[in-house]
Amino acid sequence: MAEKGSDNGLRRATPAAFLLVLALAVAALLWPRGHEQPGVASLVVFDPTGDPLRIAEIYDPLAALLAEAAGRPVTARVVATVAEVYRLAASGEVYVFGPDALALQLAGQDYVPVVAARRPPPRNLRPRGVLVSRRTAPPTAEPWRTHPDRTVCGDSVSLAVTGAWRMAAEASPPAVRIASGPDPWDHAPVLHALRLGAYDHALVRQWDADRFFAQGLLSTAEWSVRETTMPVPDLVLMAPRRLSAGRRLALGEALGRVGRHEEGAVASSLEHGLSRLHLAGFNLLVEPDFERVRRLAGPDPDALGRE
């Protein structure tokens, strides 16, 4: 009799359980997740070059991949000034793709890091900043202060550059605004100006300097190289903090698969485009790690007079 009563109880519970599961499913679709907003989001990219090939082969596919993972449309919007990045980040729900020093200013209450770009092996770890100096130039530890007219920076918004004084206990920022390159994604223009005699010193990304030495464009007989920073995140994707943790994890996982035998037209297109910037994909960048970088970098003195 007990078994029969138990069986009757199960039969009575089954419809109720079904209705409960159905109600939870509907609630999952309707209930707000992490305060996410409906509609189209923007991928704001800081790229002063405005290169249309990059937009077509990198930024648009990246926006499409974000849309797949985020479950909502995402459109790429390329801007040329730091001020415009901050304005857009403050005015709406956007993703931001740009140099780490810029990203540090966004991190905190409203934005969190998702991934950092990586290079092909064996240089798939984070880069350092380096100082490349002409051996015949007068020796100096801080040419950006002592010889600002003979010093150039790869760009004005990367820790590979500004970390020379932000991350070094004894270093000082430039006393005057000094020249900087136009492209935070590639310091090649600055290194070409250096080797052609326009400058004696350049603060650049280690990976870009290594490429010039490997290609024979710079020689160790004529140029010295000194590390100026610890490894830095470099190029970073930021997401709105209001995005649910599950969505952010899905974004990180989707981007982390790019360049690692990931199938799919969008991922393959993005992988091809990234190779033009000597990039191979992305590594996860967790918030505690990025906050540690912020503490080590200290406040941004805005020493290069950025817009």
Side-chain angles (χ1 to χ4, degrees):
M1 294 294 293
E3 292 181 357
K4 183 177 179 179
S6 176
D7 184 57
N8 289 336
L10 287 173
R11 284 200 298 267
R12 287 195 301 270
T14 299
F18 172 77
L19 291 174
L20 177 60
V21 171
L22 181 61
L24 289 174
V26 172
L29 293 174
L30 299 179
W31 199 262
R33 300 179 180 182
H35 305 289
E36 297 172 32
Q37 300 296 316
V40 178
S42 293
L43 168 64
V44 176
V45 181
F46 176 69
D47 187 346
T49 70
D51 185 346
L53 195 61
R54 291 184 185 178
I55 296 173
E57 295 192 349
I58 302 174
Y59 309 142
D60 283 343
L62 177 57
L65 198 62
L66 290 176
E68 289 182 2
R72 60 182 300 190
V74 179
T75 59
R77 182 169 181 176
V78 178
V79 300
T81 68
V82 171
E84 183 70 357
V85 173
Y86 294 155
R87 186 187 71 79
L88 292 172
S91 64
E93 185 172 346
V94 303
Y95 303 90
V96 179
F97 191 31
D100 46 12
L102 183 156
L104 283 175
Q105 298 299 106
L106 295 175
Q109 181 178 356
D110 297 325
Y111 286 89
V112 292
V114 179
V115 293
R118 61 179 173 84
R119 302 285 161 154
R123 300 193 179 280
N124 56 347
L125 301 177
R126 295 178 181 178
R128 298 175 184 268
V130 296
L131 174 66
V132 182
S133 295
R134 194 183 306 274
R135 292 190 182 276
T136 56
T140 174
E142 298 182 3
W144 56 88
R145 283 188 58 82
T146 58
H147 299 83
D149 58 327
R150 300 299 300 167
T151 302
V152 64
C153 293
D155 70 84
S156 63
V157 287
S158 295
L159 279 180
V161 174
T162 63
W165 53 85
R166 292 183 64 180
M167 307 181 84
E170 304 301 325
S172 301
V176 298
R177 181 172 182 173
I178 58 179
S180 60
D183 191 354
W185 304 93
D186 187 357
H187 291 167
V190 159
L191 288 167
H192 280 302
L194 180 74
R195 72 186 186 87
L196 293 175
Y199 302 96
D200 293 326
H201 311 275
L203 288 162
V204 295
R205 181 183 294 111
Q206 171 193 358
W207 287 328
D208 295 332
D210 287 350
R211 190 171 76 251
F212 267 61
F213 281 101
Q215 294 173 350
L217 297 173
L218 296 173
S219 72
T220 54
E222 186 178 358
W223 301 94
S224 66
V225 180
R226 174 169 63 86
E227 293 181 354
T228 55
T229 74
M230 58 174 280
V232 294
D234 200 32
L235 304 171
V236 175
L237 176 75
M238 306 292 290
R241 184 177 291 279
R242 69 176 62 181
L243 199 67
S244 68
R247 291 291 192 193
R248 295 202 301 267
L249 180 60
L251 291 178
E253 291 178 343
L255 293 172
R257 290 193 295 267
V258 174
R260 293 187 169 103
H261 309 293
E262 170 73 356
E263 297 181 357
V266 174
S268 297
S269 176
L270 178 56
E271 180 182 358
H272 172 74
L274 288 173
S275 67
R276 294 184 177 273
L277 294 178
H278 313 286
L279 298 171
F282 304 92
N283 290 328
L284 289 176
L285 180 59
V286 296
E287 188 172 11
D289 186 11
F290 204 50
E291 286 303 310
R292 183 180 68 89
V293 174
R294 183 207 293 274
R295 291 194 297 272
L296 291 172
D300 184 359
D302 200 25
L304 298 185
R306 298 196 303 264
E307 295 183 13

